[in-house]
Amino acid sequence: MKLFAAVAFSLCVSVAHASQETDACDAHRQALERQMATALTQDNSAQLSTLQAELDKTNAECTPEAIAQRHANALKRHDSAVAEARNRLRDWEAELARARKKGTDQLNIAAWERKVNRARADLNRAMARPIQ
């Protein structure tokens, strides 16, 4: 009976959130709650227990703090990828400058220029990549 009251209460509670991740969490919760209601009407306690565990996991992962932490981690990964691409570009540009200063032949300079151009393209891709 307590479980029925918890399911009924959770079906009645709905919270609107602005972020897509929060909306996805809400949609997942609602789907689980619908499945729990069906399992309850079918008196399927094993399925109900499994769904309750999944709902508990979803609720733990969908707190504002957990969402903010995931976003912060994604931002850190993005910034790290951009920094790595910048460092690689800086290294290749330095090698190209050394080759030019040294008077290296045009074939080698062209090879360094290709590396610099690829590094620039990699940096542009890293900067344009969405934060996920």
Side-chain angles (χ1 to χ4, degrees), residues 4 6 63 112-113:
F4 178 76
T63 64
W112 285 114
E113 287 172 343

Side-chain angles (χ1 to χ4, degrees), residues 13-35:
V13 176
S14 104
V15 179
H17 297 282
S19 79
Q20 288 180 339
E21 188 168 358
T22 304
D23 291 344
C25 286
D26 290 342
H28 187 63
R29 269 191 210 102
Q30 289 171 357
L32 288 170
E33 289 165 350
R34 281 192 300 274
Q35 292 173 16

Side-chain angles (χ1 to χ4, degrees), residues 67-110:
I67 292 170
Q69 184 62 49
R70 278 195 301 277
H71 182 71
N73 291 344
L75 185 59
K76 185 185 279 187
R77 284 190 308 273
H78 180 268
D79 290 347
S80 175
V82 169
E84 184 178 325
R86 272 197 184 107
N87 289 339
R88 194 173 311 116
L89 175 59
R90 190 176 20 248
D91 291 346
W92 291 139
E93 286 173 336
E95 290 295 331
L96 175 59
R98 275 194 284 279
R100 284 183 175 151
K101 185 177 180 182
K102 186 177 169 184
T104 306
D105 66 81
Q106 286 301 336
L107 283 176
N108 283 336
I109 289 176

